[in-house]
């Protein structure tokens, strides 16, 4: 339904012209399938880091290209960065997925909902959070937060997931609780 290009795995990601060229090839390959472009930073589980100015430039150039349908911006890149990416993307008709990833724990339900609300407040079209469960109760916390956010803000599409084997059930049944999309890797997991 949607293809996500994890640009942090692209070895030439520091060279924006190479990224745009590859994006054009992906657009041609996937034609009408929505294409989400994501640079996942090292601090949020990605493959590498970019300087903040390079991160913003990359996402804005992707939006300007006309070949991406959605871009992902990390909530913890800061409100100014998120607003800049949102403004540029929206000017070009590109939707924005705000995201937050916690690879060490599952925050309390209130914190999960708060992060999703902040993404919406900053203008993101879709709010996404992925957390790491330490026990089955953490998976229930994520699902409860998902249902709470959907009930409180039904106008905001959300994507939520609990990671790892323990969180698998959240990726299979998240739609029941209000998650709009789930994740699967084609080949090696990112």
């Amino acid at each position: 339904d949607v293809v996500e290009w994890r640009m942090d795995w692209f070895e030439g990601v520091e060279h924006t012209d190479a990224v745009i060229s590859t994006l054009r090839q992906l657009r041609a390959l996937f034609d009408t399938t929505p294409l989400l472009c994501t640079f996942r930073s090292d601090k949020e589980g990605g493959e590498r880091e970019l300087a903040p100015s390079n991160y913003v430039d990359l996402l804005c150039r992707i939006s300007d290209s006309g070949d991406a349908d959605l871009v992902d911006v990390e909530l913890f890149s800061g409100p100014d960065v998120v607003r800049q990416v949102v403004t540029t993307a929206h000017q070009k008709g590109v939707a924005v997925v705000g995201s937050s990833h916690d690879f060490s724990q599952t925050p309390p339900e209130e914190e999960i909902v708060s992060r999703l609300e902040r993404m919406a407040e900053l203008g993101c079209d879709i709010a996404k959070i992925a957390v790491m469960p330490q026990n089955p109760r953490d998976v229930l916390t994520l699902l409860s937060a998902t249902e709470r956010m959907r009930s409180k803000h039904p106008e905001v599409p959300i994507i939520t997931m609990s990671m790892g084997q323990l969180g698998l059930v959240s990726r299979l049944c998240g739609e029941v609780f209000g998650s709009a999309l789930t994740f699967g890797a084609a080949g090696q997991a990112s």
Side-chain angles (χ1 to χ4, degrees):
D1 297 321
V2 176
V3 172
E4 180 181 26
W5 179 28
R6 281 284 305 274
M7 297 179 293
D8 50 298
W9 285 91
F10 181 58
E11 291 190 20
V13 73
E14 292 86 4
H15 307 287
T16 309
D17 290 339
V19 172
I20 298 300
S21 175
T22 301
L23 176 58
R24 285 204 172 97
Q25 293 173 44
L26 289 170
R27 175 77 289 151
L29 180 65
F30 292 109
D31 193 28
T32 60
T33 302
L35 185 56
L36 165 61
C37 294
T38 300
F39 181 90
R40 185 68 59 233
S41 70
D42 179 59
K43 64 183 173 284
E44 295 224 11
E47 185 62 13
R48 67 190 64 176
E49 283 296 318
L50 283 177
S53 60
N54 293 349
Y55 177 75
V56 169
D57 181 61
L58 174 66
L59 296 179
C60 290
R61 290 274 312 271
I62 290 290
S63 296
D64 284 338
S65 74
D67 290 315
D69 299 291
L70 306 103
V71 294
D72 178 293
V73 63
E74 296 172 349
L75 175 65
F76 290 122
S77 61
D80 292 339
V81 167
V82 174
R83 282 188 198 100
Q84 188 173 353
V85 170
V86 166
T87 298
T88 300
H90 287 172
Q91 288 171 347
K92 299 300 180 175
V94 174
V96 179
V97 177
S99 65
S100 176
H101 299 77
D102 194 325
F103 279 84
S104 62
Q105 66 174 346
T106 298
E109 181 177 330
E110 295 75 24
E111 175 63 19
I112 293 171
V113 172
S114 174
R115 289 184 197 181
L116 294 168
E117 288 176 329
R118 278 185 282 176
M119 292 173 209
E121 289 164 5
L122 290 168
C124 297
D125 302 289
I126 301 169
K128 174 191 171 204
I129 191 164
V131 298
M132 185 62 74
Q134 300 302 314
N135 53 59
R137 183 165 299 283
D138 284 347
V139 179
L140 293 174
T141 296
L142 180 275
L143 292 173
S144 180
T146 303
E147 191 282 328
R148 184 170 155 196
M149 179 68 181
R150 181 195 57 176
S151 295
K152 195 172 175 183
H153 301 284
E155 74 285 359
V156 179
I158 57 173
I159 302 169
T160 65
M161 63 190 72
S162 194
M163 295 182 272
Q165 188 62 34
L166 188 58
L168 178 61
V169 68
S170 75
R171 300 187 304 276
L172 296 175
C173 73
E175 180 180 15
V176 172
F177 295 87
S179 186
L181 196 70
T182 193
F183 170 83
Q188 180 182 348
S190 57

